[in-house]
């Protein structure tokens, strides 16, 4: 490999320094955004998907479903009707079988 002249060495050193500085700044910005996102996620209420149709089939009337949903909301849950949800993990759905919502 041919010997590098002093101006070429300085150019390569500056280029390497600029790339390194860009990486460090980029990592710092991404870490800040990730920690902000984690903080937002921690402040989100837990979600429960309640199937009103399933609750009616389980024997609950409209008043019982409303009271049950309000109790969940008082405990910090966001209650969504299953008909309003396009897709969600199965573990978010509240099973209402034998006396499940009472």
């Amino acid at each position: 490999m041919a010997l590098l002249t002093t101006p070429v060495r300085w150019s390569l050193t500056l280029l390497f320094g600029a790339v390194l500085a860009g990486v460090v700044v980029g990592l710092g910005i991404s870490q800040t955004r990730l920690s902000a996102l984690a903080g937002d996620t921690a402040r989100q209420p837990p979600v429960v998907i309640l199937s009103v149709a399933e609750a009616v089939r389980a024997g609950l009337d409209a008043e019982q479903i409303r009271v049950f949903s309000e109790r969940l909301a008082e405990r910090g849950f966001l209650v969504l009707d299953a008909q309003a949800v396009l897709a969600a993990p199965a573990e978010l759905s509240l099973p209402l079988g034998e006396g499940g919502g009472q």
Side-chain angles (χ1 to χ4, degrees):
M1 177 159 120
L3 294 174
L4 298 176
T5 62
T6 302
V8 172
R9 280 190 221 155
W10 277 106
S11 297
L12 290 175
T13 302
L14 287 173
L15 178 63
F16 179 74
V19 168
L20 185 60
V23 168
V24 169
V25 169
L27 285 174
I29 290 172
S30 67
Q31 285 299 101
T32 302
R33 288 186 176 176
L34 284 175
S35 63
L37 180 60
D40 286 346
T41 303
R43 288 188 295 270
Q44 296 296 320
V47 176
V48 173
I49 300 172
L50 173 68
S51 172
V52 174
E54 186 180 325
V56 169
R57 282 193 299 272
L60 299 174
D61 62 21
E63 179 66 18
Q64 290 172 316
I65 295 169
R66 184 186 60 76
V67 168
F68 180 63
S69 298
E70 288 175 356
R71 286 184 185 157
L72 287 171
E74 289 169 359
R75 289 173 175 79
F77 287 90
L78 173 64
V79 183
L80 300 174
D81 182 12
Q83 290 183 341
V85 176
L86 295 177
E91 56 270 7
L92 294 179
S93 295
L94 184 64
L96 291 174
E98 302 273 326
Q102 299 174 355

